[in-house]
Amino acid sequence: AQKVTQAQTEISVVEKEDVTLDCVYETRDTTYYLFWYKQPPSGELVFLIRRNSFDEQNEISGRYSWNFQKSTSSFNFTITASQVVDSAVYFCALTAGANSKLTFGKGITLSVRP
Amino acid sequence: DGGITQSPKYLFRKEGQNVTLSCEQNLNHDAMYWYRQDPGQGLRLIYYSQIVNDFQKGDIAEGYSVSREKKESFPLTVTSAQKNPTAFYLCASSIVFDLNSPLHFGNGTRLTVT
């Protein structure tokens, strides 16, 4: 069985603060993929990043960065210099092994105040 | 522009009535999915379809039915057997059904049953 835990449920920060969203996953498969999605108030989920289990390189995309650590089964997401437009629900998700279905965490609601 | 269209955005029904949610995609994707989102629960998979004329139950299929007669269409029927149908429903698609294909989501339909 696979599982994704997003222990933080709600985070509130002031604009320009840095914020890290935590994601811990569980799987027995050696081949798996991790994803982050953003759900703005409009409702649709937007794909942000995909990382496979064989690539532990961290990734940076503008103000966004991701830290993948197999030793702690974590795939954390950091927003640098947060902006009001970053306010959304963020989901971490996992696919693994023969089961190609996405397993989602419960999501983290991020509020960025001006 | 390619994308996924869900309609209507808001839907109201009386208890005991069946209701069908529409999902159309023009991305030429093989796989399509239906998820249900409840507050604090993340996304749960209802049904998915890997190719046209084929579909499988997800984690919470009871009280729902689907069809996949055309590649671009994957309607979801919420039947009167679904005990708690009020929720936000999201349709998604991916190029193929595999571990690493990210999902593309529609804007969702919010169903309220009274």
Side-chain angles (χ1 to χ4, degrees):
Chain A
Q2 53 207 40
K3 186 177 177 183
V4 175
T5 301
Q6 296 182 262
Q8 304 151 311
T9 54
E10 294 184 21
I11 300 176
S12 181
V13 299
V14 176
E15 210 169 15
K16 298 196 175 97
E17 281 185 30
D18 298 347
V19 57
T20 295
L21 311 181
D22 298 333
C23 174
V24 173
Y25 63 92
E26 294 175 33
T27 179
R28 292 185 181 144
D29 293 292
T30 55
T31 300
Y32 53 89
Y33 285 81
L34 294 159
F35 301 79
W36 275 95
Y37 287 85
K38 173 183 180 180
Q39 185 180 37
S42 55
E44 86 282 13
L45 273 76
V46 177
F47 165 68
L48 294 178
I49 191 172
R50 170 188 56 210
R51 174 64 76 218
N52 74 58
S53 52
F54 302 107
D55 182 3
E56 284 194 74
Q57 277 195 347
N58 292 329
E59 181 153 342
I60 298 174
S61 175
R63 295 184 298 107
Y64 294 173
S65 62
W66 290 268
N67 183 335
F68 176 31
Q69 291 197 339
K70 289 176 77 169
S71 60
T72 55
S73 297
S74 64
F75 186 43
N76 297 337
F77 173 27
T78 297
I79 302 174
T80 302
S82 59
Q83 299 177 2
V84 172
V85 293
D86 295 326
S87 297
V89 182
Y90 291 87
F91 291 95
C92 181
L94 165 73
T95 58
N99 181 354
S100 295
K101 295 178 288 183
L102 262 179
T103 298
F104 282 89
K106 293 189 175 182
I108 302 170
T109 300
L110 174 64
S111 298
V112 181
R113 309 187 305 276
Chain B
D1 284 340
I4 299 178
T5 301
Q6 290 187 243
S7 60
K9 190 170 178 64
Y10 298 95
L11 193 52
F12 298 88
R13 279 294 181 270
K14 295 288 187 187
E15 199 173 318
Q17 293 179 336
N18 291 354
V19 59
T20 297
L21 281 59
S22 169
C23 177
E24 303 279 329
Q25 55 103 355
N26 60 4
L27 299 166
N28 200 32
H29 286 176
D30 281 336
M32 296 188 75
Y33 312 78
W34 274 105
Y35 285 89
R36 170 179 172 142
Q37 184 177 12
D38 297 283
Q41 292 296 315
L43 275 70
R44 293 181 290 170
L45 182 64
I46 304 172
Y47 268 97
Y48 64 102
S49 168
Q50 297 186 45
I51 55 171
V52 67
N53 291 322
D54 174 76
F55 52 82
Q56 284 86 37
K57 293 181 179 180
D59 300 318
I60 56 164
E62 185 176 347
Y64 300 97
S65 66
V66 294
S67 63
R68 185 86 188 276
E69 297 174 2
K70 297 187 295 183
K71 186 175 185 178
E72 59 270 22
S73 179
F74 191 41
L76 172 74
T77 297
V78 184
T79 75
S80 55
Q82 167 50 232
K83 294 191 183 343
N84 297 298
T86 294
F88 187 55
Y89 291 88
L90 284 156
C91 179
S93 70
S94 61
I95 294 175
V96 292
F97 181 77
D98 66 7
L99 279 181
N100 67 352
S101 292
L103 269 54
H104 298 254
F105 284 84
N107 285 343
T109 293
R110 189 166 299 280
L111 173 65
T112 302
V113 177
T114 57

